[in-house]
Amino acid sequence: VHISLAGDKHIRVSWITSDSLSPSLVEYGTSPGKYSFKGHGDTTSYTYLLYSSGTIHHTVIGPLEHNTIYYYRCGGQGPELSFKTPPAEFPVTFAVAGDLGQTGWTKSTLDHIKLCQYDVHLLPGDLSYADYIQSGWDTFGRLVQPLASSRPWMVTQGNHEKENIPFFKDGFEAYNARWKMPYEESGSSSNLYYSFEVAGAHVIMLGSHTEYDDNSDQYNWLKTDLSAVDRKRTPWLLALFHVPWYNSNSAHQREGDKMMEAMEPLLHAAGVDIIFAGHVHAYERTKRVYNGKSNPCGAVHVTIGDG
């Protein structure tokens, strides 16, 4: 089970069952064991070579109160879980870590995040490292469920989500089926890029591994999204994507140059404050920068691919 933001005052609950007849039902309320409300959703599934997924449920619930603990259960049975909705105004706390995978270091990172009083987790790509072995998506889901079922996890794709097989399988099939983000709610035509708002922050999730040139759907969507940002309502403007544009590490040098050439002018013109990226398995933070130079009006770039 994991949850994500799905528009104003709404949460999407996602979970997987082995039973195809299990209902896409979420019962919820503000007291343990008392479910005053319910929501119904839809299902999907996919096959990948010899693998067949379980039934993947996505159910949007709400409207919900801000900064409130809700108790819920999925499918009309099973264990009771709980989550806390983000606040309506500052302060708001984000936990940010990319490139999680499934190692002992992953557990250490999750243990650290668990100690934080955070409201939303931001993940700039590379989730499960399943890398074509689809059961890896299931083990990853179980690994992160204790955290991802209790706070919204907002993710974007990395290179390890692609899993394409030329002439046979398009990329991102497992990612798109399992980790549905609020792309429709933000006017995007693709689950690979979208935006959302929480408290006083407008957060843009971009795709390093889908088309981004100035003729692409993603580029045109980004222009439209940025033009609608109200900095009086959301004074903080954040962007996340997988491949860093500024990187002093020896790994993955200059891989983000073409995306930066296309999209950095748009983000700079909109006054983006902070940009988070993953991909490089290290931590790095720049001063304010634009077009390869220090710039007092540029964004601070943070590489946080050390999950």
Side-chain angles (χ1 to χ4, degrees):
V1 181
H2 64 264
I3 66 171
S4 54
L5 301 174
D8 186 40
K9 294 186 175 182
H10 287 75
I11 290 280
R12 177 175 284 107
V13 184
S14 302
W15 73 99
I16 301 180
T17 61
S18 56
D19 179 6
S20 62
L21 299 179
S22 179
S24 299
L25 167 69
V26 175
E27 299 166 290
Y28 62 101
T30 54
S31 299
K34 295 182 180 180
Y35 308 122
S36 305
F37 311 99
K38 61 179 63 176
H40 297 272
D42 50 29
T43 64
T44 187
S45 62
Y46 70 96
T47 58
Y48 199 96
L49 302 180
L50 299 178
Y51 175 90
S52 295
S53 75
T55 301
I56 304 169
H57 304 261
H58 297 293
T59 298
V60 175
I61 59 173
L64 306 171
E65 296 296 321
H66 293 291
N67 206 29
T68 301
I69 294 176
Y70 285 88
Y71 300 87
Y72 70 104
R73 66 178 183 179
C74 302
Q77 58 181 352
E80 180 177 82
L81 301 169
S82 66
F83 64 79
K84 178 180 166 292
T85 54
E89 55 189 25
F90 296 134
V92 60
T93 302
F94 296 103
V96 192
D99 300 72
L100 279 175
Q102 303 178 58
T103 70
W105 297 115
T106 309
K107 184 182 184 306
S108 173
T109 298
L110 295 175
D111 287 344
H112 277 85
I113 293 171
K114 189 176 182 179
L115 297 176
C116 302
Q117 297 299 313
Y118 73 100
D119 299 300
V120 179
H121 182 93
L122 306 178
L123 202 166
D126 282 3
L127 283 68
S128 71
Y129 285 74
D131 291 329
Y132 302 94
I133 308 301
Q134 294 302 299
S135 59
W137 282 104
D138 296 314
T139 55
F140 179 76
R142 289 191 286 270
L143 176 66
V144 302
Q145 175 176 307
L147 275 69
S149 64
S150 62
R151 295 293 185 277
W153 275 38
M154 309 306 291
V155 308
T156 188
Q157 92 283 173
N159 53 297
H160 286 276
E161 274 71 65
K162 209 166 186 178
E163 298 183 316
N164 66 308
I165 302 175
F167 309 111
F168 184 68
K169 279 287 185 185
D170 293 332
F172 307 110
E173 186 170 1
Y175 171 81
N176 285 332
R178 294 170 182 266
W179 289 82
K180 186 176 182 181
M181 293 290 113
Y183 72 94
E184 294 165 317
E185 292 87 338
S186 60
S188 168
S189 61
S190 170
N191 192 50
L192 303 180
Y193 48 88
Y194 63 95
S195 67
F196 64 94
E197 293 185 351
V198 56
H202 186 91
V203 185
I204 300 165
M205 309 292 275
L206 297 174
S208 293
H209 301 284
T210 187
E211 294 295 325
Y212 45 67
D213 62 55
D214 58 9
N215 293 315
S216 66
D217 288 343
Q218 180 175 200
Y219 182 94
N220 290 321
W221 168 83
L222 177 60
K223 282 182 65 176
T224 301
D225 187 77
L226 290 172
S227 69
V229 173
D230 180 355
R231 296 302 283 267
K232 292 181 180 178
R233 188 162 58 89
T234 53
W236 284 92
L237 183 52
L238 313 178
L240 285 87
F241 44 82
H242 187 58
V243 180
W245 293 349
Y246 293 93
N247 171 30
S248 70
N249 198 285
S250 59
H252 301 301
Q253 273 294 320
R254 310 196 71 87
E255 290 181 16
D257 283 4
K258 289 185 177 179
M259 186 183 184
M260 180 171 74
E261 181 181 345
M263 290 187 159
E264 190 182 31
L266 290 181
L267 298 184
H268 180 70
V272 169
D273 297 292
I274 306 175
I275 294 175
F276 292 102
H279 201 42
V280 175
H281 294 182
Y283 171 80
E284 181 172 19
R285 185 181 72 242
T286 71
K287 294 183 177 181
R288 293 191 172 275
V289 62
Y290 173 62
N291 197 25
K293 299 175 183 177
S294 179
N295 186 308
C297 297
V300 172
H301 289 250
V302 181
T303 299
I304 191 72
D306 52 352

